Amino acid sequence: MSVIDAVRAPGNTVARSTGDLVRRRFGGRSAARIYAAVLLTLGVAAIHFAAAAGHLAEYLPYGIFFIGLGLAQVGLAVATVVAPSRRLFIGAAIATTGVIALWVVSRITGLPVARDPWRPEIPGMMDMSATLLEIITVVLFGLLIPTPRKPKARGRTRIALTALPAVPLTLLAGWMAVGAVLHPMAAAFSAAPAVAGQATTSVADLVAAPGNEPLRAFTLTAGVVNIGGRQAWAFNGTVPGPELRVTQGDRVRVTLVNRLPDSTSIHWHGIRLPNAEDGVSGVTQNAVRPGSSYVYEFIAGDVGTYWYHTHQDTLYQLPLGLYGPLVVMPRAGIAEHRDYMLTAHWSPDGTILVNGSRSLHLDATPGETVRLRIVNAVNEGLFGGNPIRPVLLGARYRVVALDGHDLNGPQEIGPERIQLGMGQRADLAFTMPPSGAVELAGLAGSSRVVIGDGPMPAAVKVDSLRVFDLTAYGEPAPDPVADAGSFDVTRDLELAGAPAFYNGTYDFSDTFSGYTSPNVPPITVREGQLVRLRIHNTTADKYHPIHIHGHVFTVLAKNGHPLTGSPVHVDAILAAPHETWDVAFKADNPGIWMLHCHVLGHAYAGMSMTINYEGISTPYTMGTDSGNVAE
Ligand code: C2O
Ligand code: CU
């Protein structure tokens, strides 16, 4: 008997190779499972090393944890090849299950030890892939635990072929890991850095000029409160925050007091104000630290319905409750007898509320005129960005303003659904009928608002009602921007998205012409220029309300057809799937201004950029080093 034969002899305890050992002790099928588990474990380790790279800058203990985890997994892979044993398989299955459990907890409730304790992380493609591979390895290790009755011998080729499906998965994980490391989150990124040797004005100096306008002072204290048994982050303890109502021409001074565990800011959505007061963390200010306060001051120039909200870590903070309505009244008052603010928003249990309640009753008597100011603060989350489509039943009505800006000659319409993307507003006006109530319906779920008393309007199938068309409503009127005919700056913005490497991860992205924030080239303008944007939504299923800071869009055309009714001025244009909108604005407010999709998940996933005035720079930075996160 040769040496080789001796080694190969059945019952021999000296194995020539792991393959032999495994085949004899666990059977041929097990060898394939072992190799597959080893490959997948290495793939997961690669993703954990990539995660470590991102976390090292952000929160050192996590960086160390992920390096340790990756090393442990490499160790497990080696041990599985060198010394496979039933005990090792049991340990591997248990440990990997523990890692999966930790991931689940970190995504649902958050972990107690973290940079932000008990803050759930948003699941992404990369961590979900790692978890999927881990689940497969747990199954594989689990299958290796029971002793097979009669080990089935199998040839090497058969074993290799059975383990083969693990190869592409492992390569995919490795590719993701390498790509993520090569596209890190910027440590410090300036939207408009000062350039040495070039004189620039800092955004910090773009404040309201002193004057003796009537002063309206408010304090908004951001804090953690309990609303209906759930934790909310709120201004002055309520969600939505208090209604700020001022008169055109007032000097508005708001002191933000931060009693949150995290930094925050306030953005005055839709208001044209000096750049330094715009409230964008990392662009126009540093986020206000816990325990600190910050004063915003501006002159309320435009009448209308606006709102305010946090612009720090917005995807996380805003849905917790940091927003509220803001109204600028004309000096002469408004024509209607009744004036109600209706802020639509998500409740933590996933229904739409209006002013914090599911069903609201508003007073009005027959013959009275009523104005409803509807604000869409419903964040539709990471996915479609679907708008809300409220409709008024029981009275004909006029759409008197969009995004706070009056429409010219608005005529009465029947029950048409008013489509509002996240952040948009509409003012509706109507006269109470001689008898019966009026209902604002069409909000998701059972939420509704009833105005007046008496019998309710007849129920209708809301979904079949016409959607209001802002391109053909009201009376035409001259408009300096719409009538300009030529523009100094033009930019096409294609709204799209695909899985991509960005900000230290591989995930779905939402893009402006293929770019994700912070790499979208800014729109550079000079004061006095007319700027036209062509916004083309090429997605099949996403709604993108594209919002501009510090300026107002004049809507020029939809799908190439110019408007036929009233001029329309908005601070966000809702681009539905496959729609193209032409909008324009006059560059009349120097600064560095955000332009982004107002679906918070889309802005977070890359659909955010800035409009940069020549000669203006910002001393603030975004990125992991700064503590400023605009989206
Ligand atoms: Cu209401 Cu930059 O947003
Ligand atoms: Cu969007």
Side-chain angles (χ1 to χ4, degrees), residues 32-199:
R33 282 176 189 150
I34 285 177
Y35 292 134
V38 164
L39 281 171
L40 296 178
T41 302
L42 289 174
V44 176
I47 291 181
H48 285 153
F49 286 128
H55 283 297
L56 277 174
E58 220 176 78
Y59 182 62
L60 188 64
Y62 267 23
I64 295 169
F65 170 78
F66 277 108
I67 290 175
L69 189 56
L71 288 175
Q73 283 169 323
V74 171
L76 171 63
V78 171
T80 307
V81 172
V82 176
S85 73
R86 219 150 257 128
R87 237 201 257 152
L88 181 70
F89 301 151
I90 293 171
I94 292 174
T96 308
T97 306
V99 175
I100 295 169
L102 205 61
W103 179 82
V104 170
V105 173
S106 74
R107 263 54 188 179
I108 292 175
T109 64
L111 297 169
V113 182
R115 196 191 53 171
D116 303 300
W118 298 119
R119 165 178 172 166
E121 285 180 53
I122 298 158
M125 269 175 81
M126 207 162 80
D127 50 294
M128 288 200 289
S129 313
T131 304
L132 186 70
L133 299 197
E134 282 167 344
I135 292 171
I136 302 174
T137 60
V138 169
V139 171
L140 291 172
F141 281 123
L143 288 173
L144 286 165
I145 296 168
T147 319
R149 283 227 193 89
K150 210 200 285 155
K152 228 205 252 158
R154 276 193 189 185
R156 289 219 179 93
T157 323
R158 285 282 300 278
I159 292 173
L161 282 176
T162 321
L164 205 60
V167 174
L169 289 178
T170 304
L171 289 178
L172 205 65
W175 169 78
M176 247 186 227
V178 171
V181 170
L182 293 179
H183 297 82
M185 167 89 86
F189 167 79
S190 171
V195 180
Q198 260 176 43

Side-chain angles (χ1 to χ4, degrees), residues 289-630:
R289 304 217 159 266
S292 310
S293 57
Y294 191 92
V295 178
Y296 295 96
E297 188 164 315
F298 56 89
I299 314 293
D302 297 318
V303 302
T305 306
Y306 301 94
W307 65 307
Y308 59 88
H309 62 77
T310 172
H311 220 304
Q312 157 74 3
D313 208 358
T314 319
L315 174 61
Y316 179 69
Q317 292 194 355
L318 192 152
L320 286 174
L322 292 173
Y323 50 84
L326 169 63
V327 180
V328 182
M329 295 290 285
R331 274 179 225 254
I334 56 166
E336 293 79 20
H337 300 115
R338 305 269 184 175
D339 182 352
Y340 290 113
M341 173 61 74
L342 299 173
T343 305
H345 58 106
W346 272 127
S347 78
D349 60 12
T351 50
I352 291 180
L353 303 181
V354 177
N355 298 355
S357 79
R358 190 154 311 184
S359 106
L360 209 62
H361 180 266
L362 306 173
D363 290 334
T365 51
E368 276 186 329
T369 52
V370 180
R371 175 183 286 235
L372 301 179
R373 301 172 185 270
I374 305 169
V375 179
N376 180 9
V378 180
N379 181 41
E380 218 274 322
L382 290 163
F383 303 108
N386 292 336
I388 60 170
R389 297 189 185 94
V391 58
L392 211 52
L393 305 176
R396 288 172 66 77
Y397 54 100
R398 293 173 302 132
V399 181
V400 291
L402 289 176
D403 282 0
H405 302 277
D406 286 352
L407 295 173
N408 185 55
Q411 66 270 36
E412 276 194 344
I413 54 174
E416 290 185 16
R417 293 184 290 161
I418 310 296
Q419 178 161 270
L420 295 175
M422 164 62 159
Q424 296 185 302
R425 290 90 61 211
D427 288 22
L428 310 183
F430 62 94
T431 304
M432 285 300 290
S435 71
V438 172
E439 180 187 0
L440 184 74
L443 294 164
S446 53
S447 303
R448 64 175 190 178
V449 178
V450 176
I451 305 109
D453 301 297
M456 292 292 294
V460 291
K461 269 194 114 207
V462 169
D463 286 349
S464 59
L465 295 173
R466 184 171 186 273
V467 174
F468 172 73
D469 177 9
L470 64 81
T471 68
Y473 179 73
E475 299 297 327
D479 183 274
V481 175
D483 300 342
S486 78
F487 298 91
D488 305 300
V489 177
T490 58
R491 174 70 87 86
D492 286 4
L493 290 176
E494 192 210 348
L495 314 181
F501 291 109
Y502 65 99
N503 289 343
T505 189
Y506 181 75
D507 213 334
F508 286 108
S509 68
D510 293 294
T511 54
F512 277 135
S513 302
Y515 293 97
T516 51
S517 145
N519 300 316
V520 189
I523 296 169
T524 305
V525 301
R526 232 176 330 188
E527 191 171 357
Q529 287 183 321
L530 278 178
V531 186
R532 193 211 66 195
L533 306 181
R534 174 160 295 161
I535 295 169
H536 179 34
N537 183 352
T538 59
T539 69
D541 50 6
K542 286 189 174 184
Y543 285 81
H544 295 298
I546 303 302
H547 170 54
I548 188 171
H549 284 214
H551 299 78
V552 174
F553 287 142
T554 296
V555 182
L556 304 177
K558 175 186 179 184
N559 299 333
H561 305 296
L563 269 56
T564 57
S566 166
V568 173
H569 302 117
V570 287
D571 54 64
I573 186 75
L574 178 64
H578 304 304
E579 282 180 358
T580 300
W581 289 87
D582 288 354
V583 296
F585 64 93
K586 174 123 197 230
D588 56 4
N589 194 2
I592 307 298
W593 301 99
M594 300 285 287
L595 177 72
H596 63 88
C597 179
H598 216 289
V599 176
L600 306 179
H602 297 178
Y604 176 87
M607 200 176 268
S608 179
M609 63 184 293
T610 54
I611 295 162
N612 295 8
Y613 278 68
E614 281 177 14
I616 311 282
S617 65
T618 174
Y620 310 110
T621 58
M622 295 178 275
T624 48
D625 283 357
S626 63
N628 295 321
V629 190

Side-chain angles (χ1 to χ4, degrees), residues 19-20 22-24 26-31 150-156 158-159:
D20 289 337
V22 166
R23 264 189 290 173
R24 278 186 296 99
F26 303 101
R29 185 180 299 152
S30 300
K150 210 200 285 155
K152 228 205 252 158
R154 276 193 189 185
R156 289 219 179 93
R158 285 282 300 278
I159 292 173

